Amino acid sequence: DGGITQSPKYLFRKEGQNVTLSCEQNLNHDAMYWYRQDPGQGLRLIYYSQIVNDFQKGDIAEGYSVSREKKESFPLTVTSAQKNPTAFYLCASSISQTYEQYFGPGTRLTVT
Amino acid sequence: AQSVTQLGSHVSVSEGALVLLRCNYSSSVPPYLFWYVQYPNQGLQLLLKYTSAATLVKGINGFEAEFKKSETSFHLTKPSAHMSDAAEYFCAVSDWEGGANSKLTFGKGITLSVRP
């Protein structure tokens, strides 16, 4: 079955620690995205990547970093510089940036 | 620049009643338009999409949406609400010209409640 997987579903970290969220897709999509979702704020774009070894900052990139070493994988690191990291994180992919995006199940990160 | 407006944050309907979720967009070029549904603690699922073919688009779960260029709208409807329709709904727009800056822009979402 083709799709997008995110792991883990729930993640707990102490303040000051970096944490990496996994995102893998087997849809052969070129473009991949990371969004942050907070109650009442919709989806906010963190980073996106159109091709391997290339990525661009979205609207709220500060305190986050990404890599795109393989077409299938687009991990997101939430660094200790992110002031308010507790949120629901969604990964998505699409054939190209113009077309519909397919979403993973999300990772809920709680930092205390 | 493109944008999406979903007026209101919450809509409540009775089971069996018409569902109408409004979406207005702005785009400098002909758009592609999408509706997504999100159930609690899950990712977004594509309901339907408009990509410049028929203006009335049918999607999954009995939903449909009509593209009205003159009104810059893409409202989502379902004739008869079911309890399982309770979820959050997002409208999104993209411009088809492509290029490095082309991407989807999402509305803030509307929560649909269905009363028994």
Side-chain angles (χ1 to χ4, degrees), chain B residues 45-60:
Chain B
Q45 179 183 5
L46 183 68
L47 270 178
L48 49 79
K49 62 182 179 182
Y50 167 78
T51 55
S52 73
T55 56
L56 182 62
V57 180
K58 294 188 185 300
I60 61 172

Side-chain angles (χ1 to χ4, degrees), chain B residues 38-96:
Chain B
Q38 185 182 31
Y39 299 100
N41 289 313
Q42 295 186 26
L44 278 68
Q45 179 183 5
L46 183 68
L47 270 178
L48 49 79
K49 62 182 179 182
Y50 167 78
T51 55
S52 73
T55 56
L56 182 62
V57 180
K58 294 188 185 300
I60 61 172
N61 302 340
F63 284 93
E64 62 182 38
E66 186 172 8
F67 172 66
K68 292 187 176 181
K69 183 179 178 181
S70 61
E71 299 177 7
T72 60
S73 69
F74 190 57
H75 302 331
L76 182 71
T77 60
K78 182 174 180 177
S80 176
H82 193 273
M83 296 297 290
S84 61
D85 294 326
E88 190 161 18
Y89 292 81
F90 293 90
C91 182
V93 62
S94 80
D95 68 79
W96 55 266

Side-chain angles (χ1 to χ4, degrees), chain A residues 40-55:
Chain A
Q41 297 202 43
L43 286 89
R44 292 185 289 170
L45 182 64
I46 305 172
Y47 269 98
Y48 63 102
S49 167
Q50 299 178 70
I51 56 171
V52 174
N53 292 324
D54 185 50
F55 47 82

Side-chain angles (χ1 to χ4, degrees), chain A residues 5 8 13 29 39 41-42 48 51 59 63-64 67 78 86 91:
Chain A
T5 56
R13 281 293 183 270
H29 285 170
Q41 297 202 43
Y48 63 102
I51 56 171
D59 302 317
Y64 300 97
S67 63
V78 184
T86 295
C91 179

Side-chain angles (χ1 to χ4, degrees), chain A residues 8-70:
Chain A
K9 179 70 174 173
Y10 298 95
L11 192 53
F12 298 89
R13 281 293 183 270
K14 295 288 187 189
E15 198 173 312
Q17 294 179 336
N18 291 356
V19 59
T20 298
L21 282 59
S22 167
C23 177
E24 304 276 333
Q25 56 100 358
N26 61 4
L27 300 168
N28 200 32
H29 285 170
D30 286 317
M32 296 188 73
Y33 314 81
W34 274 105
Y35 294 92
R36 172 182 172 136
Q37 190 175 27
D38 297 281
Q41 297 202 43
L43 286 89
R44 292 185 289 170
L45 182 64
I46 305 172
Y47 269 98
Y48 63 102
S49 167
Q50 299 178 70
I51 56 171
V52 174
N53 292 324
D54 185 50
F55 47 82
Q56 288 79 42
K57 293 181 179 179
D59 302 317
I60 57 163
E62 186 175 346
Y64 300 97
S65 65
V66 294
S67 63
R68 187 88 187 273
E69 298 176 3
K70 298 187 301 182

Side-chain angles (χ1 to χ4, degrees), chain A residues 9 97-98 100-101 108, chain B residues 36 38 41 43 49 94 102:
Chain A
K9 179 70 174 173
Q97 290 194 129
T98 307
E100 65 268 26
Q101 295 178 14
R108 187 165 296 280
Chain B
Y36 286 85
Q38 185 182 31
N41 289 313
K49 62 182 179 182
S94 80
S102 175

